[in-house]
Amino acid sequence: MANKQYRLTEAEWRFIQEMREMDMEGILDIVIALRVEVKELEKKAESICQMQRASWEREVEQLQKRTDQLRVFEQEIRNTWPQD
């Protein structure tokens, strides 16, 4: 009845039944394993963010350098124009 009420798949229903039959120590082991996995995923996500940030910062530096070069070039061209 509960299976139909919550529209669970057979695998989900079996998992819930197994969880109900487990003692608290078994549930605690699952919670600890999930917590460890979450921490590992958070570390990976932070690492990816740092890599993206570093790449972004390099790109900004390159763009700033190119902008500076173009400004210098523009100024040099202006300096070669005849003064009226």
Side-chain angles (χ1 to χ4, degrees), residues 32-44:
I32 291 169
L34 291 173
R35 186 167 172 87
V36 167
E37 187 173 353
V38 166
K39 285 185 179 185
E40 288 175 4
L41 291 174
E42 287 173 342
K43 286 179 186 177
K44 286 181 183 179

Side-chain angles (χ1 to χ4, degrees), residues 38-54:
V38 166
K39 285 185 179 185
E40 288 175 4
L41 291 174
E42 287 173 342
K43 286 179 186 177
K44 286 181 183 179
E46 180 60 29
S47 174
I48 290 169
C49 286
Q50 286 175 353
M51 289 180 354
Q52 288 175 333
R53 198 175 307 122

